[in-house]
């Protein structure tokens, strides 16, 4: 791994409190361009909160986060600039139910990027083809299967030409038979050199795609390593315990 | 305002009485309507459907007028059979009005009770039966409390409707607050003051009923809150 | 029950249907515009805007429409300055008073209906909009508003039916709408059953018509919700 390139995401002793509850404690993390990171951990460990802080869906309460050269503060113009460069995929898809698939993909391009209609639609169709469902363009989200909806959601994020993609448990809400179609799209994306931060429990995906796997527990980064080391020689006993539980399935 | 306070007080008391009586009738009409709609008897369902369609589509004021003048015509006709010298008989505006507004709001309550009955999760009913509870026990211990919880928010709105509909009974001559305001206006020449007082008293009634509903909901939902 | 009386009375009462519709449509239009304004105040996040809007809804939803009509029609002329202002054009006329009272009322109820719609829009969708870099105004116009309208539509339809029923109260301040005429006819014929029941059936049919057309509208703009229809 080269360390020449400067990080595209840098978190320095980041903390996040919800009232009395500490969701993140003293988190340090650097992600270099093109790097693929998988974050795992038990529920409530703060992994979703962590990636939601990266595009400021949540505001961190201490420490600093710098994304793409912008420090995340209350200055709204910076936040929008940052969000333009980050795509996010949610666990529950969050497609706009009242818009067709095509409009889901073009709405932000047109409003945020001010892309002309024809061009936005061309971009949308391009990415629909990449997620292999161009024929669904005219349908409404409710008319698609869960796997198809999540692929549309990935395409929607890609249409904004982001430099970073965040995935927040993209397959947890899916029936088992649909998980692979979404993972295939994600593997594809990784092959293109996209910077990715994924919260997921799909350990097969982590093993084959991740440059680094991170284990979180109770708001802290407990362990991070390359997949080989992470899965075969976990250093921390909590990591080992978690892996035993999750790999038993 | 001086000199009219006791009139307003008595009138407000009348409104409270109308409210309480109509509430009782409303619950009776609503439960009967819901039972009929849920029953397997086709005629009962048809009657209940006609009831809800008619009373939910008819202006409340028309129902009040219909019940008062209708009952008066009938009573007078019956009375004349016995004593031809009778010119006019009516049932007191209090009762005609009370039943009229209870019929209207009861039509809405029918749908509320029916929905609440159907809204109880079949899982808990099955579980109760699996534990060996009888049909009646299941009804009393499982279905009624759950129904009550589901029906409470709309039921609170029905009570508010009743409070506000009491104002309509002034039209058939019940001596309630609008009646007092009219009289007071004719002697003081201050209509705004006199009618605003009526509005404020109604607002107080509504607030009271809303508070009561909230307290009941708080109690009914106590098992859904995290222990403190 | 004499059918002839009902058949005689119906055409007379139907002469008032125009007035009933005028009251309905004017009050609905003005009231809905008012409701949008009040809604924006309520969700503005600024207490000095949301508090007055909240108080407004509380007062108008907590008092009978009849009382509001009386306050406006009988009460307001108490003020000399009002009688000399431009507003008097509306307020000296019972029709103007009825429209005003009904519109103010509709405004309060529809605000709550719209707010319910806004609150039920899933948070995740707004997050998705924010994640795509959409501004809060864009999120409101393109995500919240269209979804809230669809969610609020059935309740809005019920509110139109309530308003139709409330227009009958205009008869208490001398207006000759359908109910006003019916009361005159009953005073002449003393046949309350025939007259009032046939009029009630007219209202029931109108309510049914409103409900049917609202279902149409719902089906039309709610088509995204039907699975695998395309």
């Amino acid at each position: 791994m080269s360390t020449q390139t400067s990080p595209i995401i840098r978190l320095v002793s980041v903390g996040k409190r919800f009232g009395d509850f500490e969701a993140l404690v003293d988190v340090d993390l650097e992600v270099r361009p093109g790097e693929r990171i998988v974050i795992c951990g038990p529920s409530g460990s703060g992994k979703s909160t962590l990636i939601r802080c990266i595009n400021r869906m949540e505001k961190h309460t201490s420490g600093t986060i710098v994304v793409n050269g912008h420090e995340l503060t209350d200055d709204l113009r910076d936040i929008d600039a940052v969000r333009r460069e980050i795509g996010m995929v949610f666990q529950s898809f969050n497609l706009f139910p009242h818009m067709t698939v095509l409009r889901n993909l073009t709405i932000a391009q047109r409003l945020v990027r001010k892309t002309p209609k024809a061009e936005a639609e061309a971009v949308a169709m391009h990415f629909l083809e990449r997620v292999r469902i161009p024929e669904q363009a005219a349908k409404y989200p409710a008319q698609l299967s869960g796997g198809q909806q999540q692929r549309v959601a990935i395409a929607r994020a890609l249409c904004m030409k982001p430099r970073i993609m965040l995935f927040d448990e993209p397959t947890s809400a899916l029936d088992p038979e649909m998980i692979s179609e979404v993972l295939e799209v994600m593997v594809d994306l990784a092959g293109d050199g996209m910077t990715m931060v994924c919260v997921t429990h799909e350990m097969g995906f982590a093993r084959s795609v991740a440059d680094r796997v991170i284990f979180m527990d109770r708001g802290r980064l407990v362990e991070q390593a390359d997949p080989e080391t992470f899965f075969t020689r976990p250093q921390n006993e909590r990591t080992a315990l978690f892996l035993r539980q999750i790999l038993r399935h | 305002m001086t000199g009219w306070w006791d009139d307003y007080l008595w009138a407000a008391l009348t409104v409270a009485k109308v409210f309480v009586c109509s509430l009782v009738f409303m619950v009776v009409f609503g439960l009967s309507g819901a039972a009929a709609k849920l029953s397997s008897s086709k005629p009962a369902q048809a009657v209940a459907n006609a009831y809800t369609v008619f009373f939910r589509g008819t202006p409340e004021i028309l129902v009040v007028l219909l019940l008062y003048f209708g009952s008066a015509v009938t009573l007078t006709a019956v009375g004349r059979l016995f004593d031809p010298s009778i010119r006019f008989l009516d049932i007191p505006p209090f009762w005609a009005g009370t039943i009229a507004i209870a019929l209207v709001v009861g039509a809405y309550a029918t749908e509320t009770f029916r929905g609440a009955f159907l809204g109880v999760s079949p899982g808990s009913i099955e579980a109760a039966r699996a534990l060996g509870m009888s049909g009646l026990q299941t009804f009393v211990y499982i279905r009624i409390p759950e129904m009550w919880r589901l029906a409470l928010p709309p039921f609170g709105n029905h009570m508010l409707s009743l409070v506000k509909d009491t104002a309509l009974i002034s039209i058939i001559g019940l001596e309630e607050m609008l009646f007092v305001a009219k009289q007071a206006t004719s002697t003081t020449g201050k209509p705004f003051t006199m009618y605003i007082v009526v509005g404020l008293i109604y607002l107080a009634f509504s607030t009271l009923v809303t508070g009561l509903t909230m307290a009941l909901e708080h109690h009914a939902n106590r098992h859904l809150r995290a222990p403190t | 029950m004499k059918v002839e009386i009902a058949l005689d009375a119906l055409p007379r009462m139907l002469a008032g249907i125009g007035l009933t519709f005028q009251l309905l449509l004017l009050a609905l239009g003005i009231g809905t515009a008012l409701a949008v304004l009040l809604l924006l105040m309520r969700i503005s996040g600024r207490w000095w805007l949301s508090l007055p809007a909240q108080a407004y809804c509380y007062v108008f939803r907590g008092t009978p429409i009849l009382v509001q009509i009386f306050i406006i029609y009988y009460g307001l002329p108490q003020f000399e300055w009002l009688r000399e202002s431009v507003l008097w054009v509306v307020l000296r006329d019972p029709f103007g008073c009825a429209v005003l009272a009904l519109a103010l009322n509709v405004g309060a109820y529809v605000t709550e209906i719209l707010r319910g719609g806004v609150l039920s829009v899933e948070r995740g969708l707004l997050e998705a909009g924010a994640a795509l870099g959409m501004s809060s105004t864009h999120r409101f116009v393109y995500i919240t508003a269209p979804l809230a309208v669809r969610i609020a539509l059935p309740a809005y339809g019920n509110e139109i039916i309530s308003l139709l029923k409330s227009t009958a109260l205009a008869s208490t301040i001398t207006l000759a709408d359908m109910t006003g005429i019916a009361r005159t006819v009953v005073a002449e014929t003393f046949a309350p059953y025939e007259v009032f029941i046939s009029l009630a059936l007219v209202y029931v049919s109108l309510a049914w018509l409103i409900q049917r057309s609202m279902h149409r509208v719902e089906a039309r703009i709610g088509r995204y919700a039907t699975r695998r229809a395309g």
Side-chain angles (χ1 to χ4, degrees):
Chain A
M1 261 186 271
S2 81
T3 45
Q4 257 79 1
T5 41
S6 59
I8 190 166
I9 303 172
R10 187 156 48 95
L11 282 74
V12 182
S13 61
V14 167
K16 167 72 182 170
R17 287 176 154 277
F18 294 102
D20 279 342
F21 177 69
E22 288 195 292
L24 293 178
V25 188
D26 203 22
V27 171
D28 292 307
L29 177 66
E30 291 195 348
V31 182
R32 287 180 302 282
E35 203 177 5
R36 293 163 305 245
I37 303 225
V38 165
I39 305 175
C40 59
S43 67
S45 59
K47 48 197 196 306
S48 284
T49 309
L50 176 64
I51 70 165
R52 289 166 61 85
C53 281
I54 295 175
N55 67 345
R56 213 165 168 77
M57 289 282 116
E58 307 282 359
K59 292 180 183 178
H60 57 289
T61 40
S62 59
T64 45
I65 302 180
V66 180
V67 178
N68 217 5
H70 300 278
E71 175 166 2
L72 301 191
T73 59
D74 280 328
D75 182 357
L76 257 177
R77 273 179 48 196
D78 266 352
I79 305 308
D80 283 343
V82 168
R83 281 182 181 161
R84 274 200 288 274
E85 306 300 329
I86 305 178
M88 185 165 202
V89 176
F90 300 85
Q91 179 177 354
S92 47
F93 329 138
N94 292 348
L95 293 177
F96 306 129
H98 57 306
M99 299 177 187
T100 61
V101 165
L102 189 64
R103 195 154 151 74
N104 261 283
L105 269 61
T106 53
I107 179 87
Q109 293 188 65
R110 303 204 46 206
L111 293 177
V112 180
R113 292 248 189 245
K114 311 283 181 215
T115 315
K117 185 165 188 253
E119 193 188 328
E121 287 180 354
V123 170
M125 288 313 295
H126 168 76
F127 283 109
L128 274 184
E129 269 158 37
R130 284 219 35 195
V131 300
R132 299 180 209 116
I133 37 174
E135 72 283 0
Q136 311 286 5
K139 289 196 181 167
Y140 287 98
Q143 297 164 346
L144 305 181
S145 72
Q148 289 172 326
Q149 288 191 51
Q150 192 59 298
R151 284 188 280 156
V152 171
I154 294 173
R156 178 174 69 177
L158 290 175
C159 280
M160 300 299 286
K161 311 269 173 64
R163 300 187 56 192
I164 304 166
M165 284 286 283
L166 305 177
F167 291 85
D168 188 1
E169 305 207 33
T171 56
S172 323
L174 294 174
D175 294 333
E177 72 271 18
M178 291 171 184
I179 290 176
S180 61
E181 65 185 62
V182 171
L183 289 180
E184 275 166 33
V185 169
M186 290 170 63
V187 171
D188 245 30
L189 205 55
D192 289 359
M194 174 68 76
T195 310
M196 295 166 71
V197 182
C198 315
V199 171
T200 181
H201 287 162
E202 294 299 330
M203 290 302 137
F205 173 80
R207 231 186 255 266
S208 60
V209 169
D211 298 312
R212 214 172 353 144
V213 183
I214 293 175
F215 176 71
M216 285 187 72
D217 192 21
R218 290 174 224 166
R220 293 171 195 276
L221 287 194
V222 174
E223 180 159 0
Q224 47 179 319
D226 61 279
E228 176 63 24
T229 319
F230 185 86
F231 288 111
T232 51
R233 298 183 299 279
Q235 303 299 304
N236 189 293
E237 73 182 83
R238 271 190 283 169
T239 315
L241 185 67
F242 176 76
L243 285 175
R244 266 206 301 284
Q245 284 169 347
I246 204 157
L247 294 176
R248 196 175 293 155
H249 304 300
Chain B
M1 269 318 296
T2 42
W4 290 100
W5 282 119
D6 50 339
D7 298 86
Y8 276 111
L9 188 72
W10 278 112
L13 210 63
T14 306
V15 167
K17 277 190 217 155
V18 173
F19 170 71
V20 171
C21 296
S22 63
L23 181 62
V24 173
F25 283 112
M26 181 263 269
V27 171
V28 171
F29 294 146
L31 285 177
S32 323
K37 282 202 173 190
L38 291 164
S39 77
S40 50
S41 146
K42 284 271 181 286
Q45 286 176 16
V47 170
N49 281 334
Y51 165 63
T52 51
V53 168
F54 184 85
F55 284 100
R56 296 204 309 167
T58 306
E60 290 82 351
I61 179 177
L62 213 50
V63 178
V64 171
L65 290 168
L66 174 66
L67 245 75
Y68 177 67
F69 289 109
S71 65
V73 165
T74 308
L75 261 181
T76 309
V78 172
R80 279 187 182 152
L81 293 179
F82 299 98
D83 179 0
S85 66
I86 288 174
R87 307 253 336 254
F88 184 81
L89 277 179
D90 66 354
I91 60 173
F94 181 95
W95 290 108
T98 297
I99 291 175
I101 64 176
L103 274 171
V104 172
V105 183
Y108 290 91
T110 296
E111 301 299 347
T112 298
F113 290 144
R114 178 177 163 274
F117 184 88
L118 295 175
V120 177
S121 81
S124 48
I125 302 291
E126 265 176 26
R129 299 313 300 271
L131 286 168
M133 288 170 70
S134 71
L136 184 66
Q137 286 169 329
T138 309
F139 188 77
V140 172
Y141 293 101
I142 311 295
R143 201 185 277 279
I144 296 259
E146 188 68 4
M147 250 183 91
W148 174 235
R149 194 176 65 79
L150 291 173
L152 250 179
F155 190 75
N157 283 333
H158 299 332
M159 291 202 287
L160 267 185
S161 299
L162 280 183
V163 168
K164 289 183 279 179
D165 285 350
T166 56
L168 297 172
I169 305 180
S170 66
I171 288 166
I172 51 171
L174 182 69
E175 302 189 1
E176 46 74 84
M177 295 190 287
L178 283 172
F179 178 87
V180 171
K182 195 175 172 188
Q183 285 199 316
T185 299
S186 61
T187 52
T188 61
K190 289 210 169 71
F192 187 79
T193 323
M194 294 306 164
Y195 281 107
I196 268 292
V197 171
V198 179
L200 290 176
I201 297 175
Y202 268 113
L203 203 57
F205 267 124
S206 300
T207 308
L208 210 68
V209 169
T210 309
L212 175 71
T213 311
M214 275 162 60
L216 288 173
E217 276 180 48
H218 187 81
H219 182 73
N221 289 326
R222 63 197 181 284
H223 62 287
L224 298 179
R225 281 188 296 276
T228 43
Chain C
M1 284 282 249
K2 295 199 186 72
V3 181
E4 312 89 76
I5 300 182
L7 290 178
D8 270 357
L10 261 177
R12 284 182 69 187
M13 294 186 295
L14 284 174
I17 203 171
L19 188 59
T20 296
F21 273 126
Q22 282 173 30
L23 288 167
L24 177 73
L25 294 177
L26 273 173
L28 188 65
I30 299 169
T32 305
L34 177 66
V36 171
L37 182 76
L38 286 164
L39 170 75
L40 292 176
M41 287 167 71
R42 280 207 70 169
I43 62 175
S44 66
R46 296 185 185 89
W47 66 266
W48 47 273
L49 282 175
S50 78
L51 213 64
Q54 224 171 319
Y56 176 92
C57 293
Y58 173 69
V59 168
F60 278 86
R61 282 155 44 95
T63 49
I65 308 182
L66 189 63
V67 174
Q68 293 162 21
I69 291 178
F70 282 6
I71 290 175
I72 290 174
Y73 182 68
Y74 294 121
L76 289 182
Q78 180 178 330
F79 303 110
E80 186 75 39
W81 54 268
L82 247 177
R83 290 203 300 264
E84 280 154 14
S85 74
V86 256
L87 286 174
W88 192 238
V89 184
V90 175
L91 293 175
R92 68 158 184 230
D93 173 21
F95 180 77
C97 289
V99 169
L100 181 65
L102 292 172
L104 292 175
N105 223 274
V106 170
Y109 282 93
V110 173
T111 302
E112 290 299 320
I113 291 171
L114 293 179
R115 198 174 81 95
V118 166
L119 291 182
S120 58
V121 172
E122 255 182 87
R123 253 181 66 92
L125 297 176
L126 299 176
E127 284 182 353
L132 290 165
M134 292 165 77
S135 68
S136 59
T137 314
H138 277 153
R139 292 199 296 265
F140 184 80
V141 173
Y142 290 94
I143 304 172
T144 307
L147 285 171
V149 164
R150 286 161 167 84
I151 296 165
L153 213 55
Y156 187 69
N158 287 337
E159 185 50 35
I160 300 178
I161 294 174
S162 290
L163 176 60
L164 170 71
K165 294 163 65 176
S166 302
T167 59
L169 296 174
S171 68
T172 59
I173 51 171
T174 74
L175 283 172
D177 72 322
M178 293 195 292
T179 304
I181 298 172
R183 293 172 73 179
T184 317
V185 175
V186 169
E188 289 168 9
T189 60
F190 216 67
Y193 289 117
E194 291 84 347
V195 175
F196 287 144
I197 290 180
S198 50
L199 180 58
L201 294 177
V202 172
Y203 277 106
V204 169
S205 322
L206 289 178
W208 179 79
L209 263 175
I210 292 173
Q211 202 171 28
R212 281 300 297 266
S213 14
M214 288 311 284
H215 279 318
R216 281 266 176 82
V217 177
E218 274 167 48
R220 169 112 199 85
I221 71 176
R223 62 193 181 284
Y224 69 88
T226 37
R227 278 188 70 88
R228 308 204 182 269

